[in-house]
């Protein structure tokens, strides 16, 4: 890579790494590491060979990209988390936070005929919900903000003409904030309004491996795995509305789950390609969200309300994403794509659903396009509607009675990116 090319690539990645954001996702996992792949609901991602974001999903697929290539962009997210309360007729709330951007940046470089190196900067996990501190159901959580930024160097090796192998290390930075409280009676004629807000940052690391097999020129199959990343955060918890109000040292462990992905791409002819993806995510590892507080005053730790606020039981289960999609190369300038996916919810016990991560099974409906301005430069755009379906209610933590329902659990995603080949 010449000096000018290096400066362009570095500037592109700097723009991507300067941004951070959150979205509505399976648990708090974000799939949105490519605006192009968004347009087909991430079917065949990586083995499609259409952008270098494939190194995040399967590092082995870097061998599909000759020379040096750089890519950066983002996916904008708008949510609709409309909640209707059954116990307080007419009361509504919406947990959506402001619209956000999930950025990504990639650079891939071919060293020789068999070896590639690359760097991915992505946001693999995130949350953004806010119901306000005055919400009557804030014992189910009233606010969550979490961003994980992933710095991920990768290497790929073309072992044979048909088999490629890839691996990488992931250094992750997390910035998290969670708010939970209680608003209601604590004794006859006595009401309480308590809030507890935890804020922290942390660094941790993980790894990823992948392989790609291309038995014939028109067919590519991929398998990949990303490890669990456990963030043992240390920060502060601020408590108000009690006799022991104040800010205390605290710690929380938040785990991003391990996941495995199988992908396939079939180039039917010069105009049409078909794709498929199956992903498993180990969300059963996210059993509890417990805040450990230091130096509390005597007797405060035994307060039953504080115990509920600082020990959230999730009891989640593993999730699955299944998607199919297509690319239609209309001409040398324009490619049209589309896809559909179904993703399962991690919530196993519906009575443990929280408001900060409400979640439900969801459908993905996606469309997108690529525009090839020159042989070396293209822009990509994708749009998807994520629609939550099936059970999506909140329940009283004591009686297990349904207290309200999410009328909508939807997200609207719009992604734009650019690619340049040096």
């Amino acid at each position: 890579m010449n000096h000018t090319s290096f400066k362009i690539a570095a500037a592109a990645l700097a723009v991507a790494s300067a941004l951070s954001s959150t979205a509505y996702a399976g648990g708090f996992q974000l799939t949105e590491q490519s605006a192009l792949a968004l347009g087909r609901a991430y079917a065949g991602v990586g083995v499609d060979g259409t952008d270098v974001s494939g190194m995040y999903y399967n590092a082995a697929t870097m061998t599909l990209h000759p020379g040096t290539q750089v890519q950066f962009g983002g996916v904008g997210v708008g949510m609709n988390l409309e909640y209707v309360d059954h116990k307080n007729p007419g009361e509504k709330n919406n947990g959506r936070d402001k619209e956000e951007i999930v950025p990504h940046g990639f650079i891939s470089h071919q060293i020789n005929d068999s070896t590639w190196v690359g760097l991915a900067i992505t946001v693999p996990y995130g949350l953004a919900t806010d119901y306000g501190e005055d919400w009557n159901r804030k014992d189910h959580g009233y606010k969550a903000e979490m961003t994980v930024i992933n710095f991920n160097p990768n290497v790929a090796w073309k072992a044979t003409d048909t088999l490629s192998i890839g691996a990488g290390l992931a250094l992750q930075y997390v910035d998290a904030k969670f708010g939970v409280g209680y608003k209601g009676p604590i004794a006859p004629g006595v009401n309480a309004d308590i809030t507890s807000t935890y804020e922290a940052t942390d660094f941790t690391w993980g790894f990823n491996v992948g392989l790609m097999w291309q038995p014939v020129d028109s067919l590519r199959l991929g398998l990949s795995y990303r490890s669990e990343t456990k963030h043992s955060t240390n920060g502060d918890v601020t408590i108000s509305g009690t006799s022991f109000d104040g800010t205390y040292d605290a710690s929380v462990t938040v785990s991003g789950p391990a996941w495995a992905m199988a992908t396939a791409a079939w180039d039917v002819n010069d105009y049409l390609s078909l794709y498929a993806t199956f992903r498993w995510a180990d969300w059963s590892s996210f059993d509890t969200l417990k805040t450990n507080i230091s130096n509390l005053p005597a007797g405060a730790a035994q307060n039953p309300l504080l115990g509920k606020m600082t020990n959230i039981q999730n009891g989640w289960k593993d999730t699955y994403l299944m998607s199919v999609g297509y690319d239609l190369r209309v001409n040398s300038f324009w490619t049209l794509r589309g896809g559909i996916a179904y993703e399962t919810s991690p919530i196993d016990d519906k009575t443990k659903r929280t408001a900060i991560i409400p979640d439900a099974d969801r459908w993905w409906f996606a469309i997108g396009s690529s525009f090839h301005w020159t042989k070396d430069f293209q822009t990509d755009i994708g749009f998807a509607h994520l629609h939550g379906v099936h059970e999506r209610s909140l329940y009283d933590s004591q009686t297990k009675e349904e207290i309200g329902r999410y009328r909508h659990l939807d997200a609207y995603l719009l992604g734009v990116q650019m690619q340049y080949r040096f």
Side-chain angles (χ1 to χ4, degrees):
M1 188 190 305
N2 63 41
H3 184 61
T4 301
S5 298
F6 178 81
K7 288 194 293 183
I8 294 172
L13 288 179
V15 170
S17 63
L19 300 169
S20 61
S21 188
T22 51
Y24 168 53
F28 48 85
Q29 181 177 13
L30 302 181
T31 308
E32 294 79 19
Q33 317 305 329
S34 167
L36 183 153
L38 172 68
R40 66 171 97 89
Y42 296 94
V45 68
V47 294
D48 59 312
T50 55
D51 71 351
V52 292
S53 69
M55 78 172 74
Y56 172 80
Y57 305 98
N58 184 343
T61 64
M62 278 195 293
T63 62
L64 296 172
H65 304 282
T68 301
Q69 303 193 21
V70 64
Q71 170 188 328
F72 72 95
V75 177
V77 182
M79 298 185 295
N80 184 11
L81 310 180
E82 183 184 351
Y83 172 81
V84 177
D85 200 276
H86 295 340
K87 298 299 182 180
N88 300 287
E91 180 179 321
K92 297 181 181 180
N93 203 333
N94 201 312
R96 63 176 175 237
D97 208 338
K98 63 183 183 299
E99 288 75 16
E100 300 280 3
I101 301 292
V102 181
H104 59 261
F106 303 91
I107 183 169
S108 171
H109 177 64
Q110 182 180 4
I111 295 176
N112 53 43
D113 290 343
S114 61
T115 308
W116 279 252
V117 292
L119 175 65
I121 303 176
T122 60
V123 180
Y125 302 105
L127 281 174
T129 50
D130 190 355
Y131 300 83
E133 289 189 14
D134 292 331
W135 190 35
N136 286 326
R137 301 301 182 186
K138 64 182 180 180
D139 57 317
H140 288 74
Y142 69 86
K143 185 177 184 62
E145 295 177 358
M146 187 178 73
T147 298
V148 177
I149 303 177
N150 187 64
F151 301 90
N152 187 194
N154 291 276
V155 62
W157 176 50
K158 195 169 186 177
T160 70
D161 288 341
T162 60
L163 180 65
S164 297
I165 300 169
L169 289 175
L171 175 64
Q172 294 187 355
Y173 168 79
V174 63
D175 187 342
K177 181 177 181 178
F178 299 99
V180 67
Y182 177 80
K183 189 174 184 179
I186 56 175
V190 180
N191 290 324
D193 190 352
I194 304 170
T195 61
S196 170
T197 306
Y198 176 77
E199 298 183 66
T201 60
D202 182 56
F203 281 95
T204 194
W205 67 277
F207 69 90
N208 56 283
V209 294
L211 62 86
M212 180 181 66
W213 181 47
Q214 190 170 1
V216 295
D217 288 344
S218 62
L219 181 64
R220 296 174 298 281
L221 304 172
L223 287 173
S224 57
Y225 174 84
R226 275 192 175 268
S227 70
E228 177 184 6
T229 51
K230 185 168 290 188
H231 292 274
S232 300
T233 66
N234 292 287
D236 299 319
V237 62
T238 300
I239 300 170
S240 63
T242 70
S243 60
F244 47 89
D245 288 2
T247 298
Y248 304 92
D249 294 335
S251 63
V252 173
T253 297
V254 181
S255 294
W259 58 257
M261 179 181 286
T263 50
W266 176 32
D267 299 326
V268 179
N269 53 43
D270 290 340
Y271 302 99
L272 178 66
S273 295
L274 302 178
Y275 306 101
T277 288
F278 177 83
R279 183 183 68 194
W280 159 84
D282 183 26
W283 276 116
S284 58
S285 63
F286 192 59
D287 189 54
T288 61
L289 186 61
K290 182 175 176 60
T291 306
N292 298 299
I293 306 175
S294 304
N295 65 331
L296 278 171
Q302 283 70 50
N303 184 291
L305 289 178
L306 182 63
K308 292 177 184 177
M309 290 189 295
T310 58
N311 189 7
I312 300 173
Q313 300 294 318
N314 297 310
W316 281 6
K317 62 183 178 181
D318 297 348
T319 64
Y320 303 92
L321 169 71
M322 297 146 281
S323 67
V324 292
Y326 70 90
D327 276 5
L328 180 63
R329 291 171 286 277
V330 179
N331 52 45
S332 60
F333 173 72
W334 182 36
T335 298
L336 176 66
R337 60 180 52 90
I340 187 170
Y342 186 78
E343 187 174 11
T344 62
S345 166
I347 296 173
D348 191 26
D349 182 348
K350 63 183 182 181
T351 66
K352 293 181 179 179
R353 176 178 282 107
T354 67
I356 54 177
I357 317 177
D359 223 326
D361 296 343
R362 75 204 52 174
W363 283 99
W364 294 59
F365 305 99
I367 56 173
S369 285
S370 290
F371 305 97
H372 306 269
W373 304 99
T374 71
K375 66 182 182 65
D376 295 321
F377 177 72
Q378 73 180 66
T379 55
D380 312 292
I381 186 168
F383 173 79
H385 174 205
L386 277 61
H387 178 58
V389 294
H390 305 142
E391 210 289 324
R392 50 185 189 273
S393 297
L394 290 183
Y395 295 82
D396 186 282
S397 59
Q398 299 299 315
T399 65
K400 307 303 181 183
E401 180 185 8
E402 183 177 335
I403 57 176
R405 188 173 188 269
Y406 283 92
R407 182 176 293 173
H408 298 285
L409 280 178
D410 292 330
Y412 303 90
L413 284 61
L414 176 64
V416 179
Q417 69 182 35
M418 62 78 66
Q419 302 184 56
Y420 191 80
R421 304 167 184 85
F422 296 100

